[in-house]
Amino acid sequence: MNLMGKSVFGGIAIGKMSVYHKKDSLVKRTKITDTQAEIERFKQARDKAKEQLAGLYAKAVKEVGELNAAIFEVHQMMLDDLDYEESITNIIETQNVNAEFAVANTGDNFAQMFAAMDNDYMKERSADVKDISNRVISILSGAQHGGISGDEPVILLADDLAPSETVQLDKSMILSFVTKFGSTNSHTAILARTMNIPALIGVDITEDMDGKMGIVDGFAGKLIVDPTEEELAKYRAKKNEEDDKKRLLQELKGKENVTLDGRKINLYANIGGVGDVAAVLANDAGGIGLFRSEFLYLESDDYPTEDAQFTAYKTVAENMAGKKVIIRTLDIGADKQVDYFNMDKEENPAMGYRAIRICLDRKEIFKTQLRAIYRASYYGTISIMFPMIISLSEVKQIKEIIAEVKKELTEEGIPFQDCEIGIMIETPAAVMISDILAKEVDFFSIGTNDLTQYTLAIDRQNPKLDSIYDSHHEAILRMLQMVVDNGHKGGAWVGICGELGADTTLTETFLRMGFDELSVSPSMILKVRDVIRNTRLD
Ligand code: PEP
Ligand code: MG
């Protein structure tokens, strides 16, 4: 059976399909009679969780180094903790309840206990104990949750995936994303590009596809359910061809981003977290042009502490070994909702309380992040950029807060370096006053995803409007040129970090416009380099 959808990233995936269900956060309490059998069921699930974690540890060591992988070892040790086990077995025995309930209950109690401690290190263990408990619960409830509880990587089918759900998935177990809803410009689509895996949206998936074989053709926007032997053979050959092409691109590693007539441009990568740095290095990006720091907040159950953020930023800066890392400050709101921010429901979230508006309003959150970034600046080359700017007054306020942060760190004797300061140009207002803003900052990075949304008045999340969401619109192209010219006149360098930056049909146009930098998904670096190296401008 062939189902058509829309491709958000090319490539071929062949494998078992698994239907993802939204996690039911309420674990049901059921009465059981055989408590010993229930305890045994818990122990088996715990051992299975430890096995999974050992696998994740080994993979993470290879990808991000021992230091960053250590968390998976800590999780294994926590599962072995005797108090944790005793609490679970006690609940099962004394209350005659199912293992899922006992694990959830214990996880909540321990998490509360850790959160109440005075010591920052112990406080952070609160999220960890919840994490290990959730892992055991999803093993216990097996296929009930669907998704990726098995051992082999799957083609993940879902109605839709929110950014907060996507960050929780074990990426090593996903061959492809296929969703019913969602739009080409959603953050899940961006994540698929970062992961370099084929992804489709708008596919009419059904429950009975769970467990069946599937083929995702990310070039044709097609999902084949229960393929024939012939189809499998054809697509295996196509996949091999694709792999060969990827290998050829590998030859461009270490080469310059330079046109045939000598014009150079910086090619950086977009990331969502520490885990993406491996892909940045593997694809030989010259730096990180957009670190979407809000994913640190989305992954967390509570405001990430200054120390937790510092560790993440420092790890990225150190792993990039002196190459530029541009950290974008918190950009939540709109499609990126975080429960613990307790934000009111809004009629128009994309035009509402989001990004820099929240940061300037809730200064304590902003200052915690800026302190963490400045502390990390000592360990590499960090630049900071601010999202959703619409006015000079915002930039002035930001600079005042930065001055306060630097003063405090100096008084506390904490070392830091000066960071380049930039802003995202992603509102028409910022474009129109870019001559004024350029005098205030070191660089501009154009967020074409939001700039297209706000200029064309088209919700980037609305699949119905995907066909008219046109980043090639003459209005956008004129704006890009205007920003480059105003930026350069005011002494600021100018780049693009929205998805349009990776559109190779425009690479030559961007070079002619005079852009200094393009920041794209790690998986697109070598493709864009290939196009640059085959372009002649004169
Ligand atoms: C953009 O708007 O183009 C951008 C890069 O930011 P985000 O996609 O995270 O909103
Ligand atoms: Mg944006």
Side-chain angles (χ1 to χ4, degrees), residues 18-23 52 56 59 72 131 135 138 145-149 154-158 160-179 188 191-192 195 197 275-276 295 298-299:
S18 184
V19 177
Y20 174 84
H21 299 122
K22 304 252 170 237
K23 275 224 175 87
Q52 286 182 354
L56 283 176
K59 182 173 175 288
F72 296 118
D131 204 2
R135 186 174 287 280
S138 56
H145 280 326
I148 44 174
S149 47
V154 292
I155 295 171
L156 198 71
L157 311 181
D160 198 4
L161 286 164
S164 55
E165 288 171 313
T166 356
V167 291
Q168 313 272 358
L169 297 169
D170 175 0
K171 320 280 185 301
S172 64
M173 299 300 277
I174 301 171
L175 298 171
S176 166
F177 289 115
V178 179
T179 63
T188 302
L191 190 85
M195 289 166 64
I197 59 172
D276 296 334
F295 281 89
L298 286 163
E299 278 164 355

Side-chain angles (χ1 to χ4, degrees), residues 187 290 292 328 336 424 426 447-450 460 497-498:
H187 284 90
L290 168 63
R292 289 185 163 94
R328 173 178 75 188
K336 289 176 274 191
M424 291 198 61
E426 51 184 348
T448 48
N449 310 336
D450 277 319
R460 66 193 262 198
C497 65

Side-chain angles (χ1 to χ4, degrees), residues 433-447:
I433 59 166
S434 49
D435 55 334
I436 302 169
L437 297 173
K439 298 188 188 114
E440 297 291 325
V441 296
D442 300 307
F443 67 96
F444 286 157
S445 186
I446 306 184

Side-chain angles (χ1 to χ4, degrees), residues 265-281:
I265 187 163
N266 287 322
L267 208 45
Y268 295 165
N270 296 347
I271 66 165
V274 181
D276 296 334
V277 176
V280 174
L281 297 172

Side-chain angles (χ1 to χ4, degrees), residues 252 255-256 258-260 528-535:
L252 290 177
K255 303 240 165 92
E256 279 190 308
V258 60
T259 61
L260 291 167
V528 179
R529 178 173 297 166
D530 192 27
V531 175
I532 295 168
R533 293 176 64 83
N534 285 298
T535 300

